[in-house]
Amino acid sequence: MKKVIVMFTLFIVTISLAQQQPLSTIEEKLEVVAFQQPGLNERVESEVTGLNLYTFISSLALEHRLNVDVDPQLNTIVESNYFDVPVKEVLLFLIKQHNIEVEFVNKFIVFKKRKEVEKVPEKVIAKPIDITYRSENEFLSVNLRNDSLPSVAEKITKESGRNVIVSPDAKNQKITGYFQNRPFDDIMDMIGQSNGLIVIKNENGSYFIQKDETPKEVKTIVTNSSQSSNRIRKGVQGGAGTEGIEDFYEVTISDSGFLNINAREANATGLIMEAAEKLSLNYYMYSLPTEIETTLVAAEISFEDLLNIVFRGKDFTYNQDASGVYFIGNRSEEGLRSTELIQLENRTIETVMNSIPTELKINLEIKEFPELNGLIVSGSKPKIEELRLFLYQIDKVVPMVQLEVFIVQYNKSHDIQTGLKAGLDPNGVNRVTSGVLFPTTDVNLNAESVNGLIDIFNGFGIFNLGKVTEQFYANLQFLENNSVIKLESTPKIATLSGHEATLTIGETNYYFEQNNSIFNTGINNTITQSGTWKPTEANLSVTIKPFVSKDEQITLKLRVEKNSFLGRAGENAPPGKATQSFDSEIRVKNNEMTLLGGLDELTRENSGTGVPFLARIPVIKWFFSGRAKKKSKSKLHILIKPTVKY
């Protein structure tokens, strides 16, 4: 029973913690957690620009060793400066500022994006159309306030019994009007005139309502702050609509001091001047952007936002000096050009120039400055800012991959040589009996020694062998060689992600290359010989190119090549080479070891020479032939363990 109560209590506590708590409760909880995670009390000094909440909170946790879990959907951009502020206060500020949902699960602080409560759409109650019709005198009364034209037509048809048809182009029209006790036809005409509509009555007594497309002259006031008076520009308006208006704009200031703008095909010069005058800003125009027209509806924007929107993709720009004066003109004009040094923090400047898109380089002069690991950029400030933002996105820490390479070479060989060789040698008189009997047998016998052996066999009485001549000699071989060689090496190399690393182990031999030159002196030919010793190498080379993915999976492009020397064709000839190689592309996890494979080589040789027919008879063949039997086996294993480091 006690266990059940404890489990139930824990369940209730977990549910309560999982719910969003008031800010004061979260602050108290952070104070408690700070005893377990001291990093919450550490102070922060940073300037945050362009980071989203997920990246910023994760970076804080990593730097101050906090146990947190951050929802990737927290993608709101953070623009703040923090100076000498505890980490817990920064988190409280972010929670309050961005309405983040927080949970405390054991030793973890969980940050989630608050789910928006879906609002149940309210039932839209149709507004009653106020229309009355007196059938006795056919008088109509209407009281319309921004009512739908189709609804009004439907109501009139029901009340009067006369068909009223609305044109498709006027079905979205809202109409307003108040007319009392007038004949039906007069009321219909007044509705049309006051709302930019035409009402046509056909021979059947039905009424057809459509938009009035007849052009009429309207006046639009354009304010120019560089003149003391206002000038009037005439435009053409189609019907009572607004789609025909030329060069119309309206600029007002909100209560918070920002701009509210409604502009349609407005000239940028007048729009900018009007906005500057409304905000009481000082400006100077090097050249007028008279060729720029803009259509803009915006609320609560700053003067800088207006300039950025109007000049986006154009040849005009602006700059603001220390006194607050705005300088406006063409991007190439003096005073609007800017030259800045953009430094990279996490990667080298070597390959950055090739990574910048061509579109970002237009109208910018860019030079590398390797000493400060940066770029010197000259051009308009908006273009520089656009380039700076791109460089910030690619200025990430390039992971370094440490590669532990285990190379295991195994060689095993078995060699047997047997046989009896006898013959006549003109110089056999001078031969000396010599050789080794143990552990290997390789003995040379001269004629005197052979005759001594014959005398021993003749002493048994069964054999009676004749003597050999002085030129006779004999050679007896019975050799066996066994060898096992195992070489191990564990070199370590490191390289950046996307860069190649090469490991080479081998030996060098030399051969003589002779050159013959013929000189004709007119009397005879003279041959001059010269030569050089040239090197040749037999190596084991391993080439690795790693690519690290975001989840620290490592793709390895591999090439392994093994060369070994063979015999020489002549004393000074270059040695032959045997080559084994393979290419591979694999994917491994961080700190995971993988076997690339073994390069195996097996050699077998069984040869012999001897007396015909007798050399093939078992046992006897060992006395009438010389035989050589060789067997060798070599293996090469390469194991690689990559480790990602930042």
Side-chain angles (χ1 to χ4, degrees):
M1 189 62 183
K2 290 181 180 180
K3 291 182 179 179
V4 172
I5 294 173
V6 171
M7 293 298 292
F8 182 77
T9 304
L10 289 175
F11 176 76
I12 295 299
V13 171
T14 303
I15 294 300
S16 64
L17 288 175
Q19 297 175 353
Q20 177 61 23
Q21 305 164 1
L23 193 63
S24 59
T25 305
I26 295 174
E27 184 176 2
E28 293 174 1
K29 190 64 179 177
L30 284 175
E31 291 289 347
V32 175
V33 176
F35 288 98
Q36 300 174 349
Q37 302 186 40
L40 288 170
N41 293 321
E42 295 178 1
R43 295 188 171 271
V44 178
E45 292 185 15
S46 66
E47 178 182 349
V48 184
T49 302
L51 289 180
N52 58 33
L53 281 171
Y54 172 82
T55 304
F56 181 49
I57 296 176
S58 300
S59 301
L60 274 179
L62 182 63
E63 183 176 354
H64 298 281
R65 302 176 300 282
L66 303 177
N67 297 324
V68 301
D69 182 77
V70 188
D71 187 357
Q73 293 183 0
L74 291 173
N75 51 15
T76 305
I77 300 301
V78 181
E79 302 281 348
S80 301
N81 295 328
Y82 304 97
F83 180 77
D84 199 22
V85 183
V87 175
K88 59 187 178 184
E89 293 188 12
V90 174
L91 295 178
L92 279 172
F93 173 78
L94 294 176
I95 293 168
K96 179 180 179 181
Q97 186 74 13
H98 301 282
N99 196 20
I100 302 173
E101 187 175 346
V102 182
E103 296 180 14
F104 295 89
V105 181
N106 296 329
K107 294 183 179 181
F108 282 85
I109 307 173
V110 182
F111 297 87
K112 294 181 180 180
K113 185 176 182 179
R114 184 183 292 276
K115 294 182 180 179
E116 296 181 2
V117 180
E118 295 183 2
K119 294 183 179 179
V120 180
E122 298 179 0
K123 273 190 174 183
V124 179
I125 301 175
K127 177 186 174 183
I129 307 297
D130 189 2
I131 294 177
T132 57
Y133 176 74
R134 298 177 64 181
S135 57
E136 59 271 17
N137 56 5
E138 297 184 349
F139 274 26
L140 186 65
S141 299
V142 296
N143 184 11
L144 306 175
R145 292 183 181 180
N146 201 30
D147 291 312
S148 170
L149 177 58
S151 300
V152 172
E154 181 183 0
K155 181 71 172 178
I156 293 175
T157 300
K158 287 181 179 180
E159 293 291 331
S160 64
R162 303 185 185 189
N163 294 323
V164 179
I165 304 168
V166 179
S167 172
D169 63 350
K171 282 188 176 181
N172 297 324
Q173 183 81 23
K174 301 287 185 179
I175 60 175
T176 300
Y178 179 76
F179 310 106
Q180 192 73 19
N181 287 326
R182 299 294 300 167
F184 188 92
D185 290 350
D186 293 345
I187 294 292
M188 294 298 293
D189 288 337
M190 287 187 284
I191 290 175
Q193 293 176 9
S194 62
N195 292 280
L197 301 171
I198 297 178
V199 181
I200 301 174
K201 183 179 179 181
N202 61 18
E203 63 275 8
N204 298 324
S206 298
Y207 296 84
F208 184 76
I209 302 176
Q210 65 182 14
K211 282 188 176 183
D212 186 3
E213 302 293 342
T214 304
K216 59 182 179 179
E217 188 178 279
V218 297
K219 296 180 179 181
T220 302
I221 299 177
V222 179
T223 303
N224 189 334
S225 58
S226 63
Q227 300 175 357
S228 58
S229 60
N230 293 332
R231 59 185 175 85
I232 298 176
R233 174 173 294 180
K234 294 182 180 180
V236 176
Q237 175 179 343
T242 56
E243 57 269 24
I245 295 179
E246 290 185 356
D247 196 16
F248 164 79
Y249 62 83
E250 180 183 4
V251 180
T252 59
I253 305 298
S254 66
D255 295 337
S256 56
F258 288 93
L259 295 169
N260 294 325
I261 297 177
N262 182 12
R264 189 187 305 273
E265 298 181 6
N267 185 271
T269 303
L271 181 61
I272 293 171
M273 290 179 175
E274 176 74 6
E277 181 179 352
K278 295 283 187 181
L279 294 172
S280 300
L281 297 176
N282 298 321
Y283 64 90
Y284 177 81
M285 288 192 176
Y286 291 100
S287 54
L288 299 178
T290 53
E291 298 180 357
I292 300 177
E293 291 186 351
T294 183
T295 299
L296 172 65
V297 177
E300 297 287 328
I301 65 171
S302 65
F303 188 67
E304 290 83 357
D305 293 335
L306 172 62
L307 295 177
N308 289 330
I309 294 171
V310 172
F311 294 153
R312 183 171 297 168
K314 307 298 182 181
D315 292 332
F316 277 77
T317 186
Y318 71 94
N319 195 9
Q320 186 181 20
D321 66 2
S323 61
V325 178
Y326 288 89
F327 294 90
I328 301 171
N330 196 284
R331 295 179 184 271
S332 59
E333 291 178 314
E334 185 178 357
L336 297 177
R337 295 192 307 270
S338 179
T339 301
E340 296 186 23
L341 171 64
I342 304 177
Q343 288 183 280
L344 301 183
E345 297 180 2
N346 301 307
R347 59 175 301 168
T348 60
I349 203 66
E350 294 176 338
T351 59
V352 171
M353 282 290 290
N354 296 330
S355 304
I356 300 175
T358 305
E359 186 68 25
L360 295 181
K361 298 179 182 178
I362 296 176
N363 298 326
L364 287 179
E365 184 179 357
I366 307 173
K367 291 186 178 181
E368 290 184 357
F369 197 171
E371 289 81 358
L372 292 179
N373 194 41
L375 296 175
I376 298 177
V377 186
S378 180
S380 65
K381 197 170 185 62
K383 291 287 291 184
I384 293 177
E385 290 303 319
E386 187 178 9
L387 176 62
R388 189 197 305 277
L389 178 60
F390 170 76
L391 293 176
Y392 171 78
Q393 293 174 346
I394 67 172
D395 186 17
K396 306 296 182 183
V397 176
V398 180
M400 184 181 74
V401 183
Q402 179 175 303
L403 301 163
E404 297 181 65
V405 184
F406 298 88
I407 301 174
V408 181
Q409 291 178 291
Y410 176 82
N411 296 312
K412 182 179 180 181
S413 63
H414 179 69
D415 183 2
I416 298 177
Q417 294 182 11
T418 62
L420 176 64
K421 183 189 292 184
L424 297 176
D425 188 357
N427 299 320
V429 179
N430 299 322
R431 278 184 175 270
V432 178
T433 298
S434 62
V436 179
L437 290 175
F438 186 81
T440 61
T441 302
D442 187 1
V443 180
N444 292 308
L445 301 175
N446 60 12
E448 183 179 353
S449 300
V450 174
N451 286 330
L453 290 173
I454 292 175
D455 289 339
I456 294 174
F457 283 105
N458 287 338
F460 287 100
I462 302 174
F463 301 97
N464 188 10
L465 301 176
K467 300 292 182 74
V468 298
T469 65
E470 293 181 351
Q471 289 81 18
F472 184 84
Y473 72 93
N475 175 257
L476 176 63
Q477 282 188 336
F478 193 79
L479 310 174
E480 181 173 350
N481 296 321
N482 292 283
S483 66
V484 177
I485 301 174
K486 186 176 182 181
L487 300 176
E488 295 184 7
S489 58
T490 57
K492 294 183 180 180
I493 52 177
T495 184
L496 295 177
S497 176
H499 292 260
E500 196 173 85
T502 302
L503 173 68
T504 303
I505 303 173
E507 58 179 319
T508 303
N509 277 351
Y510 293 86
Y511 64 93
F512 187 77
E513 186 178 89
Q514 181 174 302
N515 298 318
N516 297 326
S517 301
I518 301 176
F519 296 95
N520 190 348
T521 61
I523 301 174
N524 54 15
N525 293 332
T526 303
I527 300 176
T528 302
Q529 295 182 341
S530 63
T532 56
W533 288 93
K534 291 194 171 182
T536 180
E537 296 180 348
N539 298 322
L540 166 63
S541 63
V542 180
T543 303
I544 307 171
K545 192 173 186 180
F547 296 88
V548 181
S549 62
K550 188 176 181 180
D551 59 353
E552 291 192 349
Q553 294 274 348
I554 306 169
T555 302
L556 298 175
K557 288 188 176 181
L558 306 160
R559 176 171 176 80
V560 179
E561 183 173 334
K562 179 190 175 186
N563 298 322
S564 57
F565 287 125
L566 301 176
R568 296 174 182 263
E571 182 179 358
N572 294 326
K577 282 185 183 180
T579 301
Q580 296 172 296
S581 65
F582 69 82
D583 291 274
S584 180
E585 187 168 344
I586 61 174
R587 186 169 184 171
V588 296
K589 296 180 180 178
N590 188 17
N591 286 318
E592 183 180 62
M593 183 174 290
T594 181
L595 174 64
L596 298 185
L599 294 177
D600 297 347
E601 183 178 357
L602 178 63
T603 303
R604 293 183 179 179
E605 180 182 346
N606 192 350
S607 61
T609 58
V611 179
F613 182 71
L614 295 178
R616 296 198 297 267
I617 300 175
V619 181
I620 295 177
K621 66 182 180 180
W622 300 108
F623 299 97
F624 294 94
S625 66
R627 309 193 67 83
K629 187 175 183 180
K630 296 181 180 179
K631 181 180 179 181
S632 64
K633 186 177 182 180
S634 65
K635 291 184 178 181
L636 172 64
H637 294 281
I638 300 176
L639 298 96
I640 293 182
K641 178 183 177 183
T643 303
V644 179
K645 294 186 177 182
Y646 292 93

